[in-house]
Amino acid sequence: MKQLQTDVIVVAAGLSGMAAGIAAAENGAEVIIFEKSNTTGGAANMGMGPLGVGSPIQKQQMISLTPGEAFRKHMYYTHYRVDARLVRDYYYKSGETIEWLMDMGVEFLGVQRAFNAPEATRAYSDGEFTWHVVKPEGGGAPGPRCATAMTKKMTERAKELGVKFYMETPVAKVIVEDGRAVGVIARDRDGGEIEARAKAVILATGGFGDNPEMIREQTGYEFGRTIFNFAIPGMKGEGIKMAWEAGAGRTPCTMELMYQLPDNMNHFILDGAFRQPCLWVNRNGYRFMPEDQIANTTFTGNAISSQPGYIAYSIFDSKLLKKYKKKGPDIISHVHPHDLFDHFDDQWEKDLADGYEPICQADTIEELAEKAGIDPEGLKKQVEEYNEMCESGFDEIFEKNRAFMQPIEKGPFYCCRQNVGAYGTLGGVKINHKTQVLNEEAKVIPGLYCVGTDACNIFGDSYPFILSGNSMGFCLNSGRIAGENAAEEAVEY
């Protein structure tokens, strides 16, 4: 058995793990990072950028949101059912973390919000300018995966500091002696066992989004049927299980809900084109939320998860499609291309020809309902009621913004099924505001830390989309907090 000795061991080289490794090394610790894949960055390579509050970029753009205000908004949003000390420390660190990344050479395109709420609801549901979108490598418009440029700079910084990476070397177990975490057991790419000893261990394995069985056991959702979450290869939940085995207290595991199409990245034009405030119904044909709120993907994911079969349907007619093609979408997303409807016909015809199951087209509402799997009588009645309200200019059911009260009356009609989705899983491991792992009695397990989505219990029952970039923001800042505290513990131990 190969044996190694260091100050701090980090399990996994995703965003939170690299932040932890860099922070520990910057504070004088010798660091080893074990990673089971052959690349760094993990799920962050799919993202666009982290939250920051009080960053230099926000100050340049005259954004007045303060860490204290963000903290209060977050706590009100979660009804104080989360760790206020951890939330407070995270937000107060987040602005400086953006500067920390900039010092590594990470470039940002500015700071954005993920959505803006309709005027009538802005006082309590508007998006804040917290999302620091990373400048893609080679320039161009931002989009999914542009954060790869950030993870590459972080990898370079870690190596510059002398952090040792053991790639394709999964960790199987945390070594606990006399109640203290003292190292890990890992296996190298040839299957050889490694015993690595350290004064502190940081778990950062990114949750269990790629583990359908664990999703079902821990959350009740069924992958591919009632939820279509991002399943980043390798996210199996090993870190959570290792922490539990080491005596960690358990917290409820949740899914970071939103909504999307199955295999959405291969149908990205349609994924964005149907995220419009047209007519949204459940499978009984009934409207279930004001459609002008669908830009908040958390609200919409929650609403769909409460509908029969965990599904909803977005419907527009040929007249509304013509308007979108001429004037562009009513709701513009930073994630989807802004010229969606310039490419709609090509994607639509291809997906119809290929038999892409969530979509259908018909010349009558009754035929559309039959094809989509919506109750025909229910949909017919709802369309009639909706069109009457459009004609009067007022939504008597949900008070939807009158600018979006556009009737569904001219065939052909277009329908797309919307499914509950999720960015990944959240939580499982109980930690304190220093990211130290706690047992069931909330006592610290010395030498053991947990960060990122394995330990993200600060969102309560819903991802706070009003403060966008929160997932990556928590990963970065919990990682830094852990790295700094682990380095201090290693010196004192």
Side-chain angles (χ1 to χ4, degrees):
M1 179 190 295
K2 185 176 181 179
Q3 295 188 327
L4 300 172
Q5 184 72 45
T6 191
D7 293 327
V8 175
I9 289 171
V10 180
V11 181
L15 188 62
S16 55
M18 284 201 296
I22 293 168
E26 286 178 337
N27 282 272
E30 184 180 272
V31 180
I32 289 175
I33 299 180
F34 290 103
E35 170 55 51
K36 70 178 182 180
S37 76
N38 59 7
T39 58
T40 62
N45 289 328
M46 293 289 293
M48 293 177 63
L51 170 144
V53 182
S55 74
I57 298 171
Q58 285 167 314
K59 292 172 183 175
Q60 291 167 7
Q61 293 184 207
M62 293 186 288
I63 294 167
S64 60
L65 183 71
T66 67
E69 186 179 0
F71 162 72
R72 287 184 289 276
K73 282 180 178 286
H74 187 116
M75 296 308 297
Y76 297 159
Y77 188 97
T78 58
H79 304 134
Y80 274 82
R81 293 180 65 87
V82 299
D83 186 338
R85 285 291 302 273
L86 179 58
V87 173
R88 185 266 177 206
D89 288 357
Y90 158 40
Y91 280 112
Y92 273 85
K93 196 175 192 67
S94 65
E96 191 267 322
T97 292
I98 299 298
E99 191 171 4
W100 180 70
L101 291 166
M102 292 169 68
D103 289 342
M104 293 182 205
V106 178
E107 296 182 77
F108 295 97
L109 289 174
V111 60
Q112 301 173 350
R113 56 184 177 183
F115 76 103
N116 64 294
E119 181 180 359
T121 62
R122 283 176 193 164
Y124 53 87
S125 68
D126 209 9
E128 296 286 352
F129 286 86
T130 56
W131 193 15
H132 290 69
V133 176
V134 177
K135 181 179 179 181
E137 287 187 296
R145 301 188 179 92
C146 66
T148 301
M150 176 176 67
T151 60
K152 286 185 176 180
K153 290 294 185 183
M154 293 178 70
T155 304
E156 292 169 6
R157 175 59 174 160
K159 291 179 178 178
E160 177 186 300
L161 289 166
V163 174
K164 296 177 182 177
F165 287 87
Y166 285 78
M167 307 303 289
E168 298 179 82
T169 307
V171 171
K173 182 178 182 178
V174 175
I175 303 171
V176 179
E177 295 177 352
D178 298 324
R180 180 183 185 89
V182 296
V184 301
I185 300 294
R187 290 195 178 276
D188 62 26
R189 66 190 68 182
D190 298 318
E193 194 169 90
I194 299 172
E195 181 184 283
R197 295 272 174 161
K199 298 165 185 175
V201 175
I202 303 172
L203 299 172
T205 61
F208 51 92
D210 190 33
N211 189 332
E213 182 179 354
M214 197 169 177
I215 289 172
R216 180 177 53 78
E217 290 175 350
Q218 298 298 324
T219 72
Y221 288 103
E222 292 188 43
F223 179 77
R225 195 177 75 82
T226 60
I227 198 164
F228 291 81
N229 60 279
F230 285 109
I232 309 300
M235 303 300 179
K236 302 291 188 182
E238 297 103 321
I240 297 172
K241 293 178 180 178
M242 282 188 275
W244 289 344
E245 185 182 354
R250 301 187 180 209
T251 62
C253 295
T254 61
M255 302 296 290
E256 192 176 354
L257 291 189
M258 42 86 160
Y259 69 100
Q260 64 181 38
L261 304 188
D263 189 26
N264 76 317
M265 296 304 291
N266 287 317
H267 307 274
F268 207 51
I269 296 299
L270 301 188
D271 190 66
F274 280 90
R275 293 187 177 209
Q276 298 303 317
C278 44
L279 174 65
W280 285 60
V281 300
N282 62 22
R283 72 182 185 188
N284 293 330
Y286 301 145
R287 294 174 68 208
F288 57 92
M289 69 179 293
E291 293 93 341
D292 56 7
Q293 296 288 339
I294 62 161
N296 187 321
T297 59
T298 296
F299 288 176
T300 310
N302 284 347
I304 296 173
S305 73
S306 300
Q307 302 311 306
Y310 300 87
I311 53 176
Y313 300 87
S314 174
I315 299 170
F316 51 74
D317 68 354
S318 57
K319 185 178 178 181
L320 191 47
L321 176 58
K322 183 178 180 180
K323 178 206 162 189
Y324 290 151
K325 288 178 179 179
K326 183 178 180 180
K327 297 185 177 181
D330 285 325
I331 294 177
I332 295 175
S333 162
H334 292 303
V335 175
H336 296 89
H338 293 184
D339 59 351
L340 285 167
F341 289 96
D342 292 342
H343 309 284
F344 178 85
D345 287 344
D346 289 342
Q347 182 80 60
W348 182 257
E349 294 301 330
K350 178 183 182 303
D351 285 352
L352 273 183
D354 291 345
Y356 183 52
E357 190 261 339
I359 66 170
C360 62
Q361 176 180 329
D363 292 325
T364 68
I365 289 296
E366 292 85 353
E367 182 188 3
L368 190 77
E370 292 286 355
K371 286 184 174 182
I374 307 170
D375 177 71
E377 286 300 317
L379 182 60
K380 182 181 177 182
K381 181 179 178 181
Q382 180 65 91
V383 169
E384 290 173 354
E385 178 187 64
Y386 181 73
N387 287 349
E388 288 174 3
M389 291 190 294
C390 288
E391 186 176 351
S392 68
F394 181 70
D395 178 4
E396 296 176 2
I397 306 300
F398 292 123
E399 299 184 33
K400 173 180 173 180
N401 188 324
R402 65 184 301 167
F404 303 136
M405 293 297 290
Q406 301 157 112
I408 307 298
E409 57 187 2
K410 183 176 175 55
F413 302 97
Y414 303 84
C415 179
C416 183
R417 190 188 73 225
Q418 302 288 352
N419 295 90
V420 179
Y423 297 111
T425 67
L426 296 170
V429 180
K430 186 179 293 187
I431 63 170
N432 63 14
H433 68 285
K434 293 184 177 181
T435 72
Q436 294 170 298
V437 174
L438 307 178
N439 63 20
E440 288 291 358
E441 287 72 45
K443 301 296 184 183
V444 170
I445 299 175
L448 189 59
Y449 297 79
C450 190
V451 296
T453 56
D454 290 341
C456 187
N457 306 302
I458 67 166
F459 298 159
D461 63 11
S462 298
Y463 176 69
F465 201 60
I466 58 172
L467 294 157
S468 53
N470 230 304
S471 291
M472 295 180 77
F474 183 77
C475 285
L476 278 166
N477 288 282
S478 62
R480 288 192 71 200
I481 291 168
E484 291 163 2
N485 288 319
E488 182 179 351
E489 184 171 2
V491 169
E492 295 175 351
Y493 180 59

